[in-house]
Amino acid sequence: MDAPNQSPVLAVRDAVVDFPLRRGVFARTSGRIRAVDGVSFSIAPGEAFGLAGESGSGKTTLARAVCGLVPLSAGSLSGVPLRARQMVFQDPSSSLNPRLGVCELLTEAPLARGDFPRREAERKAVAALEEVGLSGDLLYRYPFSLSGGQKQRVAIARALMQRAQILLADEPVASLDPRAAEQILDLIRALQKSHGLTVVMTSHRPGEAMQYANRVIGLRGGSIVRDAPTAQWNARDFSALYGKAL
């Protein structure tokens, strides 16, 4: 189902992602595994969009493909430029380079592209930290000294520094305690409103997808099994999606 009457910020057409199956001592390719199988959808500007499914359903692979981290084997992606699609990963500890301070994490890519002079980039980094609820004093701290919630906020600030138009949040609260998780979801909602962001959130938890998104696509075995506004989903739909009663 496509978003009506608006030019989409993202259009996915017949997307296929295959991974090589390697066997033996020399890891020779002996076949391929299809992780995403002919998926199509469009997303409107400012939409809160959910990708739901159990582990192995293809939701994370699809999100990575949208961000250019995984190549498509077939199909196409169009919409806002690739650099405007920014991903926030499930585990902030592994997504932040431990050798870089917060300042470098936020300014490395903009400085490499020549977006800003260094001093302006650092000022913008402080502003980004404050916007995600962190003190600018953290600018010269390293990831190991931050809590899980703080690391995820730094990851979101990094996306803001990249001038994100689409924020792809891959189970962004799965590794956090319930209180920190609720705070991060509230933060993403607030940023979506203040920046006009389009948010795509993956989740293997039905309640989480329903709580955040106004539209949910259900994936199973790499294929779409349902694409509908959140209000039209019910317990039976989710049971069919996960292959069991929930």
Side-chain angles (χ1 to χ4, degrees):
M1 182 178 73
D2 291 344
N5 303 323
Q6 288 181 297
S7 297
V9 292
L10 177 69
V12 180
R13 292 287 176 262
D14 302 316
V16 173
V17 178
D18 292 333
F19 292 116
L21 181 62
R22 303 187 187 277
R23 299 182 186 277
V25 175
F26 299 102
R28 293 190 176 93
T29 300
S30 60
R32 304 192 74 80
I33 298 173
R34 180 148 294 182
V36 177
D37 190 7
V39 169
S40 297
F41 59 89
S42 293
I43 305 178
E47 193 169 3
F49 186 86
L51 289 174
E54 59 192 343
S55 297
S57 63
K59 59 187 185 297
T60 294
T61 299
L62 180 57
R64 287 173 175 265
V66 166
C67 284
L69 301 176
V70 173
L72 289 182
S73 304
S76 66
L77 300 168
S78 61
V80 299
L82 186 61
R83 63 170 287 184
R85 310 171 198 167
Q86 293 295 316
M87 195 158 181
V88 173
F89 297 89
Q90 177 177 338
D91 181 6
S93 296
S94 62
S95 69
L96 301 178
N97 187 335
R99 295 182 177 86
L100 299 182
V102 170
C103 182
E104 292 173 287
L105 289 167
L106 298 187
T107 63
E108 183 180 36
L111 287 174
R113 288 193 302 265
D115 291 349
F116 320 109
R118 180 171 295 277
R119 287 187 178 180
E120 184 181 354
E122 291 182 2
R123 287 196 297 270
K124 288 183 178 294
V126 170
L129 288 176
E130 292 174 347
E131 191 167 10
V132 299
L134 296 175
S135 168
D137 294 339
L138 297 183
L139 198 61
Y140 298 102
R141 298 265 294 273
Y142 282 79
F144 74 86
S145 68
L146 305 178
S147 69
Q150 288 175 322
K151 291 176 188 176
Q152 202 63 295
R153 288 172 188 267
V154 169
I156 294 170
R158 180 170 59 181
L160 296 180
M161 288 287 291
Q162 295 283 76
R163 300 173 179 171
Q165 292 176 257
I166 303 176
L167 186 69
L168 291 109
D170 183 27
E171 302 197 49
V173 298
S175 63
L176 304 179
D177 64 71
R179 185 169 182 273
E182 183 177 355
Q183 292 172 342
I184 291 296
L185 290 178
D186 287 344
L187 172 63
I188 293 174
R189 287 189 191 94
L191 293 174
Q192 180 176 14
K193 183 176 181 180
S194 62
H195 285 263
L197 288 173
T198 299
V199 176
V200 179
M201 184 173 294
T202 75
S203 180
H204 69 275
R205 300 168 179 162
E208 191 173 271
M210 296 285 284
Q211 178 186 3
Y212 185 82
N214 53 38
R215 177 177 159 216
V216 175
I217 277 183
L219 291 169
R220 190 172 188 194
S223 299
I224 293 176
V225 297
R226 184 159 171 73
D227 176 358
T230 303
Q232 295 179 16
W233 281 78
N234 56 43
R236 182 177 298 177
D237 294 323
F238 278 111
S239 294
L241 175 62
Y242 290 86
K244 59 184 178 182
L246 297 174

